[in-house]
Amino acid sequence: MDNRDGVRAYFSSHRPKVNPIPAYDSRRLLIPSAALLWGLQFALLNPVLAVLLAGVFGASAAQVGGALAVYNASGFVASLILPAYADKKHDYVRPMLACAVLTLALAGLLAVTTSLPVAVCALVVLGGPAGVGNSLLFAHLKHSGAAAPEVVRTRAVVSFAWVAGPPLAAFVLTGSEPKAVLVLLAAVAVLTITATAGLLRTHAASPPVPVDAEDRGPVRRGHIATILVVFVALQATNSAVVSIMALFVADRMHLDVAWAGIALGVAAACEIPALLAIGRLSRRFSATGLIAVGCLAGIAYYLAMPYAKGPMVLIGLQVLNAWFFAAVAGVGLPLFQEIIPRPGLASGLYVNTRRVGAIVSGPIIAVGSATRLGYGAVFLVCAAVTLLALLMLGMASRTRAGRRT
């Protein structure tokens, strides 16, 4: 070896080592970005869908109801089929990317057609499956080894999108024609495709290692069925009070209807810090315990609302409402992913508890409003349903703990 070879060898051995940026660092930015965009897509579309159907496609009230029914039915079925396919392939990002492309196609087709049947077919064939992308994101999180606090924080980002999306859509509707919302939706879809493609590159560079389902211990179908019933009940109470809030404020509290919107807006805004706090608490406490505390907050809220006097009390009680729904929305998903070994199926079933809960809310409203207290009694029925769900949750947790021991 000559002197030049010796010098090169010396500097090669003493060259400072530069550690490559791990894939997780890029994911820390991509996951919240994708969550914001996925949440924003349907926070823009769903609140104004009835306006689009009526104003652009000339749908009657009955036709709007039918179109929304088949659209939601399509989403229900797709929330079971697509995650099951993703579980089988152990790949959630590619189906998520396909969902983002479907959103772009939906916006384009609704923008160019004026036919109501074509619009309804687009909602069923494209819109229903497109909405599964959000749950696939959380399935990908679990499949990538994300802990419960990260899942809850990501859910908080989706909640922020739902705080910002409806007012943004309303602003666009006010300033221009209804189809302008579709242009905004298409732009968000393009950004979602870009963010999801970034996740795909990260996924390919650092493929996740799936968690062995056997490490979680045996889970009986009866336990899963009980948890499903619990969450359908909890989602139903939230859907019921949201549906009747305007009527309750005007009829029972004798306030301007605008206070109903303010109250729901405050609850949605408070939900974000509540989710972040619950994400931190999930490191120390079990999911079941956090949901139980959330149920107690919900019961207190439902019992207090029928006797609330004045707008300040109405607004102040929304803190309890926000904590309750943050527990259901934030901790519920990690709980489903804990007890169901397949991440896609777990996320899909959790999402569908919201859809089924909206259906169940109808009888709750009917039973409550038929009493002398009117819409105030709906809150009392919700308190009873939440208490029943809490008792079922406690019995299911004790049964599962007993089987493990």
Side-chain angles (χ1 to χ4, degrees), residues 54-98:
V56 176
F57 302 103
S60 65
Q63 289 172 329
V64 169
L68 293 178
V70 295
Y71 167 57
N72 287 317
S74 171
F76 181 91
V77 175
S79 293
L80 298 176
I81 294 176
L82 287 180
Y85 171 81
D87 283 330
K88 183 179 179 180
K89 297 296 183 180
H90 299 290
D91 181 8
Y92 304 92
V93 182
R94 287 181 177 84
M96 195 194 318
L97 183 61

Side-chain angles (χ1 to χ4, degrees), residues 20-397:
I21 298 176
Y24 175 73
D25 284 347
S26 60
R27 196 186 75 158
R28 290 181 64 181
L29 179 61
L30 281 172
I31 290 292
S33 300
L36 178 64
L37 292 167
W38 275 112
L40 196 57
Q41 280 190 26
F42 293 93
L44 288 171
L45 177 63
N46 288 354
V48 301
L49 191 51
V51 176
L52 287 173
L53 289 171
V56 176
F57 302 103
S60 65
Q63 289 172 329
V64 169
L68 293 178
V70 295
Y71 167 57
N72 287 317
S74 171
F76 181 91
V77 175
S79 293
L80 298 176
I81 294 176
L82 287 180
Y85 171 81
D87 283 330
K88 183 179 179 180
K89 297 296 183 180
H90 299 290
D91 181 8
Y92 304 92
V93 182
R94 287 181 177 84
M96 195 194 318
L97 183 61
C99 291
V101 173
L102 288 178
T103 304
L104 181 60
L106 173 66
L109 187 55
L110 291 179
V112 299
T113 187
T114 57
S115 168
L116 179 61
V118 172
V120 174
C121 288
L123 288 171
V124 172
V125 177
L126 303 176
V132 184
N134 189 39
S135 63
L136 288 173
L137 174 63
F138 288 97
H140 170 67
L141 265 177
K142 183 64 178 179
H143 188 60
S144 302
E150 184 177 354
V151 175
V152 178
R153 286 195 300 269
T154 306
R155 181 60 181 80
V157 176
V158 176
S159 294
F160 176 78
W162 275 93
V163 172
L168 180 59
F171 175 78
V172 173
L173 280 175
T174 303
S176 56
E177 62 178 12
K179 282 196 175 184
V181 176
L182 298 174
V183 177
L184 181 59
L185 176 63
V188 174
V190 170
L191 293 176
T192 308
I193 292 171
T194 304
T196 307
L199 280 177
L200 183 61
R201 289 192 296 270
T202 303
H203 174 73
S206 180
V209 179
V211 178
D212 189 355
E214 295 180 358
D215 293 340
R216 305 182 186 189
V219 177
R220 300 284 182 93
R221 289 185 178 181
H223 178 74
I224 296 175
T226 302
I227 296 299
L228 281 170
V229 172
V230 166
F231 274 84
V232 167
L234 297 178
Q235 299 275 22
T237 62
N238 179 261
S239 180
V241 298
V242 169
S243 299
I244 60 98
M245 181 64 78
L247 295 170
F248 170 78
V249 166
D251 181 67
R252 184 73 182 175
M253 299 190 71
H254 307 293
L255 297 174
D256 191 278
V257 175
W259 283 106
I262 294 171
L264 293 176
V266 169
C270 291
E271 182 186 326
I272 298 171
L275 279 166
L276 296 176
I278 287 174
R280 291 180 177 273
L281 291 172
S282 63
R283 296 191 181 100
R284 300 176 55 191
F285 302 100
S286 68
T288 304
L290 290 172
I291 294 168
V293 173
C295 287
L296 293 176
I299 292 170
Y301 171 69
Y302 293 142
L303 290 177
M305 278 294 289
Y307 309 102
K309 303 292 183 182
M312 293 302 101
V313 177
L314 172 68
I315 299 302
L317 287 174
Q318 299 312 310
V319 175
L320 292 172
N321 187 22
W323 189 269
F324 166 64
F325 192 70
V328 173
V331 188
L333 181 57
L335 177 62
F336 272 64
Q337 292 177 336
E338 177 187 336
I339 65 174
I340 300 175
R342 295 160 58 187
L345 178 62
S347 300
L349 287 175
Y350 174 77
V351 168
N352 279 337
T353 63
R354 181 67 177 171
R355 293 189 173 99
V356 177
I359 297 172
V360 176
S361 68
I364 292 177
I365 295 172
V367 170
S369 59
T371 66
R372 289 189 306 167
L373 287 175
Y375 294 111
V378 175
F379 288 93
L380 299 180
V381 174
C382 288
V385 171
T386 305
L387 177 59
L388 180 61
L390 177 58
L391 295 175
M392 292 178 64
L393 179 65
M395 288 187 294
S397 300

